[in-house]
Amino acid sequence: MVCHSEEFVLSVLQDKSYFNRLSDHLIEQILGLECDDFSRLRRAIDAVEAGSPTTRFPGDFRPSGLLAGYGHFHYRKGDWAATNLAAEFRKPITQSLDITVDALADKVVAKGGDPDAELEKLINKFSRRIGQASGDWVLYCDGLSGREYLAINQHTDPNSDEERELRRLLDRIVAGNAQH
């Protein structure tokens, strides 16, 4: 379910000093977010705008990578814990936390282990990692009027087909913004 009405979300965004630096693509993405995710995204952008990002490593992508020329910071969607737990244990990142935990338990049982004890170890390991865990990317580039926020996207593997497609999308957004 999306957050309130489009009019409400747009009115909240229009009150932000950076509204004119949000791409049409990003606005469309925002209109599809649930309320909690919209709030988290808005707080992340507000923090970056205030010069105190909440993400550990904001900034430009590697100059030699496919996303060179673009920058990013993170925001934590409601499912960020499930995503990071799944990534830690090489499980699909699009599944719920319950499914991820069940899959890990099934793996332990298949090896003849005690699922409760093993899951407690895994969760403790993950809990120590939480300070380093991240959420989805907010992608931007520097434009004439300041930082232009282009899109939100899940992490991609370096040099993957998904990263190539993301690069094409970002380039199209920037080219579209230049025509306005």
Side-chain angles (χ1 to χ4, degrees):
M1 180 173 152
V2 296
C3 184
H4 303 293
S5 68
E6 286 186 12
E7 293 81 14
F8 172 79
V9 172
L10 286 172
S11 72
V12 169
L13 290 174
Q14 288 168 340
D15 285 342
K16 298 295 183 179
S17 61
Y18 51 80
F19 176 73
N20 290 326
R21 293 183 281 124
L22 299 174
S23 73
D24 291 343
H25 178 81
L26 178 56
I27 290 172
E28 285 298 317
Q29 289 180 298
I30 291 170
L31 291 174
L33 292 177
E34 294 181 14
C35 287
D36 287 344
D37 290 339
F38 172 55
S39 293
R40 288 181 183 101
L41 174 64
R42 199 178 69 241
R43 285 192 305 269
I45 295 173
D46 289 348
V48 165
E49 286 285 306
S52 57
T54 57
T55 189
R56 291 176 58 93
F57 301 109
D60 296 339
F61 286 100
R62 292 176 298 136
S64 61
L66 285 175
L67 297 177
Y70 294 103
H72 77 289
F73 56 92
H74 301 107
Y75 83 103
R76 292 182 172 175
K77 288 175 47 178
D79 64 354
W80 75 271
T83 300
N84 278 274
L85 183 63
E88 174 77 12
F89 297 105
R90 310 244 188 276
K91 298 291 180 190
I93 63 172
T94 56
Q95 62 192 20
S96 73
L97 185 58
D98 290 339
I99 291 172
T100 298
V101 170
D102 287 346
L104 293 171
D106 291 344
K107 184 177 177 180
V108 170
V109 169
K111 291 181 178 180
D114 174 10
D116 290 333
E118 287 299 314
L119 283 176
E120 187 168 332
K121 278 192 239 176
L122 294 174
I123 289 170
N124 285 337
K125 178 182 175 186
F126 175 69
S127 295
R128 287 189 302 275
R129 182 181 178 272
I130 282 179
Q132 299 170 357
S134 63
D136 284 0
W137 286 333
V138 178
L139 298 147
Y140 64 85
C141 67
D142 293 322
L144 295 175
S145 59
R147 180 171 288 140
E148 296 177 5
Y149 301 99
L150 306 174
I152 51 178
N153 203 80
Q154 290 182 343
H155 288 223
T156 60
D157 290 326
N159 298 314
S160 65
D161 289 341
E162 292 83 14
E163 190 171 66
R164 283 181 194 73
E165 184 57 35
L166 178 58
R167 175 64 192 224
R168 286 190 287 274
L169 170 68
L170 296 174
D171 289 347
R172 283 192 307 268
I173 292 169
V174 170
N177 286 351
Q179 294 175 357
H180 287 137

